[in-house]
Amino acid sequence: MDTTEVAVAGQIARSLVLDLADLPPAGDSATVRHRTETLGGKGANIAVALSRLGAAVSLIGVVGDDCVAGAALHRAHTDGIDTTAVVRRPGHGTGLIVELHTDGGRRHQMEHLSDGLLLTEADILAATPVLTSAASVILHARQPVGAVLAAARTAKAARRRVVLEGVPGEQAPTTELLALTDVLRLGQHDGELLTGRRLDSAEAAVLAGRDLLRRGPGLVALAAGEDGNVFLWEDEHVILPLAIRDPVHTTGGEDALVAALAFALTRGADPRKAAALAVAASATTVFHPGGRPSVSPVALGAHLVELSIPAQPSPPHHAEADYTGSH
């Protein structure tokens, strides 16, 4: 890939989604009605969504040295993703995420993701050409904080847009990381962890978002419970309601939201239009099992019309008391 618009640093895994009527009792078996095996993990899912939107995207992550790794990289290439910065870690098996979906909307997830599959600072150093050539860099904060910080510093030094999804673990230098971040996306749980506030309403998210803007980011996107999502920048904000009230898979929707938000900003959209695209992209993914994004410009057309909501001025701040395909 000659030119990268967006680089994504995050998890890569094999994803196996099984649909069955119910879990069998101990010692028994159950018939799987449908299965899907494909490329998964948050980093890979975000990259897939970006590629489907039309972005030139590079993936930075770690796979093992097994045959599954080769299949994962082949699938990424098929998805239009550059993998020159993907590390094949000797002595480790590629990550596996298994989801079981049963009648009644119940979902069970199991993961085999060894620590050897996490990004290191050395991995980030090797990926410097990708990080410094992309217009935007998306970082998943649940990778080791040293690697996340190294990537943010490298991208920021090259004047690239840094998009941070999630919050790092305990004892992380949050102050520096937020100062390096241009766009911050937090789900409700992560938002509450970072701000120390309940974010169960749009009003609460607006107040918390204003504080976060003062800490570095130029755009903050917060989940606000049943009120949907709040996007804040400068002295404005927009509240976008949930497009799907009974989602099947919220993780995939979150990955699609982050991808579409970064894509729109990279292509020059203003924050309001970028927010509308992000929420619409999420809605196209949450209705099916598995986290693999199903976004496409065609599918998003109607959503963009529905979500064309003007930005609102913010109130003054008040201190608050497929490897094998589908079968």
Side-chain angles (χ1 to χ4, degrees):
M1 183 176 290
D2 296 329
T3 304
T4 296
E5 287 183 277
V6 185
V8 183
Q11 181 189 81
I12 306 172
R14 175 190 181 193
S15 173
L16 173 61
V17 181
L18 305 176
D19 173 67
L20 60 164
D22 202 356
L23 297 180
D28 205 348
S29 63
T31 299
V32 173
R33 297 180 297 207
H34 180 84
R35 87 168 189 247
T36 302
E37 299 181 55
T38 189
L39 181 67
K42 287 192 70 68
N45 284 340
I46 292 171
V48 168
L50 283 160
S51 181
R52 290 190 169 189
L53 286 167
V57 56
S58 292
L59 181 58
I60 304 169
V62 183
V63 295
D65 61 356
D66 51 5
C67 61
V68 176
L73 295 177
H74 175 75
R75 181 61 202 233
H77 294 155
T78 302
D79 286 328
I81 300 168
D82 172 58
T83 60
T84 56
V86 172
V87 176
R88 295 192 69 161
R89 190 83 78 213
H92 291 274
T94 300
L96 173 65
I97 300 173
V98 179
E99 292 183 33
L100 305 178
H101 291 260
T102 60
D103 291 348
R106 291 170 295 175
R107 173 175 169 265
H108 308 266
Q109 181 165 313
M110 294 156 282
E111 300 178 347
H112 181 235
L113 303 166
S114 70
D115 288 346
L117 300 176
L118 295 171
L119 285 164
T120 66
E121 293 179 56
D123 298 332
I124 294 300
L125 179 62
T128 296
V130 171
L131 290 167
T132 56
S133 63
S136 298
V137 175
I138 300 175
L139 306 175
H140 182 219
R142 294 301 173 85
Q143 291 288 313
V145 67
V148 175
L149 267 174
R153 290 167 181 156
T154 299
K156 198 70 171 181
R159 299 180 181 275
R160 306 308 181 190
R161 178 184 291 106
V162 176
V163 180
L164 180 66
E165 192 270 327
V167 294
E170 296 181 4
Q171 308 302 319
T174 305
T175 298
E176 180 185 1
L177 190 55
L178 289 179
L180 293 167
T181 298
D182 298 293
V183 180
L184 176 65
R185 166 59 183 177
L186 298 175
Q188 185 174 345
H189 177 69
D190 282 348
E192 291 175 346
L193 283 177
L194 184 59
T195 65
R197 306 180 182 188
R198 287 186 59 83
L199 301 181
D200 53 0
S201 69
E203 181 180 5
V206 169
L207 291 174
R210 284 286 146 214
D211 283 347
L212 289 170
L213 285 174
R214 295 186 182 91
R215 299 170 69 179
L219 173 64
V220 173
L222 296 175
E226 293 299 314
D227 286 349
N229 289 276
V230 175
F231 298 79
L232 306 98
W233 66 98
E234 297 177 348
D235 60 349
E236 294 183 282
H237 75 269
V238 64
I239 301 168
L240 297 180
L242 297 173
I244 302 293
R245 287 290 174 179
D246 296 307
V248 174
H249 196 292
T250 56
T251 301
E254 182 69 19
D255 297 340
L257 186 151
V258 172
L261 182 62
F263 171 77
L265 294 171
T266 302
R267 290 291 179 93
D270 61 50
R272 177 173 58 83
K273 292 181 179 178
L277 180 64
V279 172
S282 177
T284 66
T285 295
V286 297
F287 66 88
H288 67 80
R292 185 174 172 82
S294 55
V295 300
S296 75
V298 173
L300 292 174
H303 292 288
L304 290 174
V305 173
E306 294 174 3
L307 294 172
S308 183
I309 302 173
Q312 309 166 34
S314 288
H317 170 75
H318 299 285
E320 196 180 4
D322 196 353
Y323 302 104
T324 61
S326 299
H327 302 272

